[in-house]
Amino acid sequence: AAETPVTPAPRTELRLTPVAKPVQIGDTLVGAGHPVYVIGEIGINHNGDLDIARRLIDVAAEAGCQAVKFQKRTPEICVPLEQRDQIRQTPWGEMTYMEYKIRTEFGLDEYTEIARYCQERGLHWFASPWDVPSVEFLEAMDVVTHKVASASVTDVELLQALAATGKPIILSTGMSTLEEIDRAVEILGTTKLVLMHATSTYPLPPEEANLRTIVTLQERYGVPVGYSGHERGLQISLAAVTLGAVTVERHITLDRTMWGSDHAASLEPAGLEHLVRDIRIIETALGDGVKRVFPGEEAPKARLRRVRV
């Protein structure tokens, strides 16, 4: 009997998801096809001490980060009235919450030194402004970008002030619905916007990481998407890179046992070093998605393959 002719399988075409345009931050392009932009968030982990801030800048530089990030507040605006007179036990003694926030807030002298030192160490620096005067303060310092904290996604006045700067904006999306992010993106525009998937639980349990949201945000907004992590360890941040995160931000500390609210969910120097090292390995390993026979496979192929097409 005649053999039934075999119909060749249709050729599969490589289908690529449209890639968002990279965003220029200072002298660096942030987006697909460029090195992951690693941000060491110093935040408030300097505890109001410029020497600790310098040491954390050193940690970030030596680990291979491209940027460090701080937080900037006007305590008279940001501290809720009902919390101002609450008594706190601090390393500087007993004081009101308002006194504590003023005590640990950096001003012009400190940020002038931070800007100088970051330039010396080859790092970008910027901050999350929590109020409009803080936007004006950071603009006077000529930061390369502004970061919107997850807590500020619904602060229309702040978002409008940031949009008016014309600077690139990095927007964290923790504790936010898609509708809230929609409104923020509408105000900020998409031409110079980088979104950060985040979950605002400190420390973050794996079941709340929801990393596939990185893809959701990429598809919905068509902008570069990164990951801001508050977990312990490195695995979740590294997995974010494999899902396409173009920037990774992690809190950093000299010692997780230091006094302060953010130290426990931060990376110590060795952890940050390992994170950056492993991100660079993953970047190399991801490749371009085009299937090919690599040079290293030729000798095993010649030795092991019995049937050749």
Side-chain angles (χ1 to χ4, degrees):
E3 287 186 10
T4 310
V6 178
T7 311
R11 235 180 157 73
T12 49
E13 288 182 26
L14 192 62
R15 291 168 61 195
L16 296 172
T17 310
V19 175
K21 279 187 176 174
V23 171
Q24 179 98 29
I25 294 180
D27 55 1
T28 302
L29 285 171
V30 177
H34 298 277
V36 172
Y37 187 70
V38 185
I39 304 163
E41 169 154 18
I42 294 171
I44 54 174
N45 280 354
H46 52 73
N47 288 355
D49 185 326
L50 188 55
D51 184 54
I52 293 174
R54 277 196 211 91
R55 289 163 67 194
L56 286 167
I57 290 165
D58 287 336
V59 165
E62 283 153 25
C65 293
Q66 289 101 313
V68 289
K69 199 213 87 171
F70 293 83
Q71 296 176 22
K72 184 73 186 106
R73 292 173 174 83
T74 307
E76 294 78 5
I77 296 172
C78 292
V79 177
L81 283 171
E82 67 278 8
Q83 292 180 26
R84 293 185 179 190
D85 294 327
Q86 288 178 4
I87 298 299
R88 292 286 297 263
Q89 302 301 325
T90 78
W92 312 283
E94 199 177 78
M95 59 180 70
T96 66
Y97 186 60
M98 185 68 168
E99 287 169 334
Y100 154 69
K101 293 306 285 183
I102 291 169
R103 167 74 178 70
T104 54
E105 188 64 46
F106 281 165
L108 181 60
D109 290 347
E110 291 86 359
Y111 276 114
T112 301
E113 171 59 14
I114 283 164
R116 186 202 66 75
Y117 198 60
C118 284
Q119 185 172 22
E120 187 180 302
R121 295 304 321 248
L123 290 174
H124 292 159
W125 80 274
F126 52 94
S128 302
W130 286 64
D131 51 77
V132 174
S134 293
V135 176
E136 292 162 358
F137 175 90
L138 292 167
E139 276 295 283
M141 301 295 300
D142 198 25
V143 290
V144 290
T145 183
H146 293 286
K147 170 84 191 294
V148 181
S150 294
S152 303
V153 169
T154 55
D155 187 337
V156 171
E157 184 189 19
L158 179 69
L159 296 176
Q160 287 170 339
L162 288 168
T165 68
K167 292 265 173 74
I169 304 292
I170 302 171
L171 173 69
S172 262
T173 59
M175 60 177 108
S176 304
T177 64
L178 282 175
E179 292 70 30
E180 288 168 340
I181 300 166
D182 285 347
R183 285 197 290 274
V185 170
E186 198 177 325
I187 294 167
L188 295 170
T190 55
T191 53
K192 294 183 179 179
L193 182 66
V194 176
L195 289 179
M196 299 287 267
H197 169 57
T199 303
S200 301
T201 309
Y202 295 77
L204 170 71
E207 62 273 17
E208 291 188 15
N210 199 15
L211 286 179
R212 288 194 174 98
T213 306
I214 292 168
V215 179
T216 303
L217 296 173
Q218 285 168 341
E219 290 173 348
R220 187 176 182 92
Y221 301 104
V223 300
V225 177
Y227 173 68
S228 179
H230 308 114
E231 71 273 11
R232 291 194 173 103
L234 308 181
Q235 302 96 325
I236 294 171
S237 292
L238 296 172
V241 174
T242 69
L243 284 169
V246 299
T247 173
V248 170
E249 175 188 80
R250 292 291 302 270
H251 286 262
I252 62 174
T253 181
L254 299 175
D255 181 342
R256 279 198 299 271
T257 64
M258 283 174 74
W259 187 88
S261 56
D262 289 349
H263 291 279
S266 301
L267 289 177
E268 291 176 338
L272 183 66
E273 217 170 275
H274 293 155
L275 176 71
V276 179
R277 176 200 67 191
D278 290 351
I279 285 173
R280 300 303 171 219
I281 292 169
I282 288 168
E283 282 176 329
T284 305
L286 282 171
D288 57 12
V290 177
K291 180 60 183 159
R292 60 170 74 81
V293 177
F294 282 92
E297 296 180 287
E298 295 293 357
K301 180 179 177 181
R303 189 172 69 251
L304 300 173
R305 185 162 281 175
R306 194 171 56 84
V307 178
R308 298 180 185 283
V309 179

